[in-house]
Amino acid sequence: MAERPDPPPEWVDRIDATLSRLPQCRQARAWTGTSWKVGAATVAHVFGGEDQLIRLVVRAEPDEVMALQHLGPPYFKASWGANVVGLALDDDTDWDEIAELLTDSYCVQAPAHLAEQVPRPGGRLDA
């Protein structure tokens, strides 16, 4: 079996910079790579695959999952969980877009009383 590369530390730091500012969101070592959780719920997971690509998976609303999935690469619908979508990260990744996806993922996974505290992309508060 091929080795899975670790995500570059600077990419992990960029993801953490977005998620660590959200209420009760914490970084955790995953079975491979790094994940972020709120309570027991996984908000995001960044990891290297046996194909040497680095992927980020997040949670999204059903319509967002479908929209991203239909965009094609670098996006993909994960084979587990109805609300799990991912993308391959590379040197051309749009980190502003990643910050929006991470914030939305947190709001999908967090208890309502925490998600309500988070300004959503586009300037709206999650209701």
Side-chain angles (χ1 to χ4, degrees):
M1 185 158 45
E3 289 289 316
R4 293 173 175 267
D6 286 328
E10 59 272 17
W11 294 358
V12 174
D13 291 346
R14 289 184 95 150
I15 295 165
D16 190 62
T18 296
L19 292 176
S20 66
R21 67 178 177 75
L22 301 175
Q24 298 180 28
C25 193
R26 69 191 188 297
Q27 187 180 124
R29 186 75 188 151
W31 63 276
T32 186
T34 303
S35 66
W36 287 261
K37 296 181 177 286
V38 58
T42 299
V43 173
H45 182 192
V46 65
F47 59 94
E50 293 173 4
D51 58 4
Q52 306 306 297
L53 294 176
I54 305 298
R55 291 180 176 83
L56 172 67
V57 292
V58 297
R59 305 296 176 132
E61 300 291 345
D63 58 337
E64 188 76 6
V65 171
M66 289 191 64
L68 292 170
Q69 172 184 350
H70 284 80
L71 286 175
Y75 299 97
F76 62 91
K77 167 73 177 83
S79 60
W80 67 94
N83 67 349
V84 182
V85 66
L87 69 152
L89 302 177
D90 62 24
D91 292 333
D92 295 325
T93 294
D94 179 344
W95 289 99
D96 291 333
E97 181 179 2
I98 297 297
E100 289 182 20
L101 291 170
L102 293 168
T103 301
D104 283 343
S105 182
Y106 172 86
C107 290
V108 166
Q109 294 294 85
H113 73 280
L114 295 177
E116 289 168 355
Q117 300 173 36
V118 176
R120 297 292 292 270
R124 68 187 191 280
L125 277 176
D126 191 38

